[in-house]
């Protein structure tokens, strides 16, 4: 999550976007951690009907 801060450190014109970019990345991580197991379970059930 420090990538936006690192980019802002090297290019100061992006410093105003650090807070919102960090929040967007965090939201993406949370959504991915919830949706991925659900999709994996669904895929497994549909590809392994006898399991």
């Amino acid at each position: 999550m420090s990538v936006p801060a690192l980019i802002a450190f090297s290019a100061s014109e992006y410093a105003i976007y650090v807070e919102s970019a960090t929040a967007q990345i965090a939201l993406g991580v949370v959504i991915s951690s919830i949706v991925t197991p659900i999709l994996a379970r669904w895929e497994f059930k549909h590809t392994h009907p006898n399991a």
Side-chain angles (χ1 to χ4, degrees):
M1 302 254 206
S2 63
V3 173
L6 290 173
I7 292 172
F9 181 72
S10 63
S12 62
E13 64 268 15
Y14 296 118
I16 60 173
Y17 303 112
V18 171
E19 189 175 331
S20 62
T22 304
Q24 290 174 6
I25 292 170
L27 180 63
V29 169
V30 170
I31 290 172
S32 295
S33 67
I34 293 170
V35 171
T36 301
I38 294 169
L39 289 175
R41 186 177 340 134
W42 180 85
E43 176 70 23
F44 183 81
K45 286 182 179 180
H46 284 81
T47 58
H48 299 87
N50 298 329

